[in-house]
């Protein structure tokens, strides 16, 4: 990065980034609003450019994700060149046609008609990668579960996704790609793992519900169905029942 484009994201006098003050209820609600109104965006992108300061904040948010042993295994490939995006889009079309055949016959037409990427419509694509050998072979927290570095890179994806929502930017994750084609298009070295290919840009609209839910593909599973108490086979005691009742009272913002 050139010195002219240096980003000052959190100057010490800026109280927004002080560690200790408690969140006000308005700040808390803003965080939940970002979580509940974040959407996977495919077909709603506008071509408007993303200002550098906005993109800088979103990337800085991604870089401040948690990571195993503070490894920060990620890199960010910012893709604007249409020719590069066109290459990746061509691979998407090939993978998408293959994917269709993997579903049972009755679902193929529905799958074919789903919009599952915005590679060319969005002005910027970002590939987040994972350098599994960064800082050497032994990493605090990855000594016994080897995939922790990959999970860390996914945390960066989620930070980016939420920060983008707060900036009124849509993000769509495209994983219907052949990894070798992605590597080739972006010149990713063999030791680096591509984790997420993301389309990012301003949007006409954020859908109120996940598009796959609106299309009748899958529904959101009620949270109580996913709760287990004191073990996989555990049953709710009185405290568990109270928690389930409390969950029923949670009204996700704007839903
Ligand atoms: C790891 C991973 C991979 C993908 C996705 C997500 C994640 C987490 N999603 C987005 C996914 O379909 C979406 O998150 C869910 O449908 C829920 O919708 P909302 O994100 O809540 O709008 C996604 N969407 C899409 O249109 N094409 C894709 O290839 C992918 N791939």
């Amino acid at each position: 990065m050139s010195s002219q484009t240096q980003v000052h994201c959190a100057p010490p006098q800026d109280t927004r980034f002080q560690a200790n003050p408690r969140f006000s209820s308005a700040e808390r609600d803003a965080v939940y609003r970002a979580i509940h109104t974040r959407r996977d965006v495919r077909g709603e992108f506008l071509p408007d450019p993303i200002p550098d300061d906005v993109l800088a904040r979103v990337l800085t948010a991604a870089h401040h994700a948690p990571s195993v042993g503070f490894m920060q295994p990620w890199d960010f490939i910012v893709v604007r060149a249409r020719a590069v995006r066109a290459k990746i889009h061509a691979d998407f079309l090939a993978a998408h046609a293959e994917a269709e055949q993997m579903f049972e016959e009755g679902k193929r037409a529905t799958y074919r008609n789903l919009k599952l990427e915005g590679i060319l419509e969005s002005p910027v694509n970002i590939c987040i990668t994972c350098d599994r050998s960064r800082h050497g072979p032994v990493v605090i927290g990855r000594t016994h579960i080897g995939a922790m570095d990959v999970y860390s890179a996914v945390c960066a994806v989620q930070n980016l996704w939420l920060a983008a929502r707060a900036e009124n930017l849509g993000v769509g994750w495209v994983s219907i790609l052949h990894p070798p084609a992605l590597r080739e298009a972006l010149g990713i070295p063999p030791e680096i793992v591509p984790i997420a290919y993301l389309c990012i840009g301003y949007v006409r609209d954020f859908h109120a519900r996940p598009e796959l839910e609106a299309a009748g593909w899958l529904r959101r599973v009620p949270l109580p169905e996913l709760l287990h108490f004191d073990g996989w086979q555990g049953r709710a005691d009185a405290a568990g029942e109270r928690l389930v009742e409390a969950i029923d009272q949670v009204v996700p913002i704007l839903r």
Side-chain angles (χ1 to χ4, degrees):
M1 188 170 77
S2 80
S3 57
Q4 287 99 326
T5 56
Q6 208 174 12
V7 176
H8 296 286
C9 192
Q13 71 275 19
D14 188 336
T15 55
R16 289 176 304 162
F17 296 103
Q18 282 176 2
N20 289 321
R22 293 164 61 85
F23 273 53
S24 67
S25 55
E27 289 169 330
R28 180 201 60 195
D29 287 353
V31 171
Y32 284 128
R33 193 161 95 84
I35 290 169
H36 288 290
T37 66
R38 180 210 53 76
R39 288 274 76 82
D40 184 62
V41 174
R42 298 97 179 245
E44 304 294 328
F45 285 112
L46 298 169
D48 310 16
I50 305 173
D52 283 340
D53 58 330
V54 176
L55 196 55
R57 284 196 295 269
V58 167
L59 286 166
T60 304
H63 181 48
H64 281 244
S67 61
V68 69
F70 200 30
M71 189 186 174
Q72 305 154 75
W74 41 70
D75 284 88
F76 305 96
I77 307 173
V78 179
V79 186
R80 295 188 222 259
R82 192 173 169 90
V84 178
R85 288 185 290 131
K87 249 185 167 179
I88 293 166
H89 184 252
D91 182 62
F92 165 82
L93 291 177
H96 186 46
E98 289 166 9
E100 182 185 326
Q101 298 309 314
M102 297 176 193
F103 293 98
E104 58 191 57
E105 224 174 315
K107 293 195 117 180
R108 284 182 199 161
T110 312
Y111 174 80
R112 188 186 319 130
N113 291 320
L114 292 170
K115 172 78 172 150
L116 294 175
E117 54 75 40
I119 296 168
L120 294 174
E121 298 93 327
S122 58
V124 177
N125 296 176
I126 293 174
C127 184
I128 299 185
T129 59
C130 180
D131 179 353
R132 307 203 66 184
S133 56
R134 190 163 292 171
H135 306 302
V138 186
V139 173
I140 293 178
R142 196 189 57 176
T143 47
H144 295 77
I145 305 179
M148 287 297 153
D149 47 1
V150 171
Y151 301 161
S152 302
V154 177
C155 291
V157 176
Q158 183 68 350
N159 261 21
L160 182 148
W161 214 333
L162 291 173
R165 179 62 189 90
E167 299 281 1
N168 296 308
L169 286 166
V171 172
W173 185 331
V174 186
S175 56
I176 306 161
L177 297 169
H178 298 96
L182 187 61
R183 285 179 174 286
E184 206 270 318
L186 299 178
I188 297 173
E191 70 276 14
I192 303 292
V193 182
I195 300 296
Y197 193 78
L198 305 170
C199 306
I200 176 164
Y202 290 105
V203 298
R204 267 180 290 280
D205 230 349
F206 286 95
H207 290 278
R209 297 158 63 201
E211 286 182 56
L212 293 185
E213 187 177 59
W217 189 262
L218 285 173
R219 66 183 178 119
R220 187 177 300 285
V221 181
L223 175 55
E225 289 181 20
L226 306 173
L227 285 183
H228 308 256
F229 297 94
D230 303 320
W232 190 262
Q233 303 287 354
R235 301 184 69 92
D237 58 8
E241 296 292 355
R242 282 199 304 276
L243 177 61
V244 169
E245 276 169 34
I247 287 169
D248 285 339
Q249 302 307 312
V250 174
V251 181
I253 292 159
L254 298 187
R255 290 205 66 209

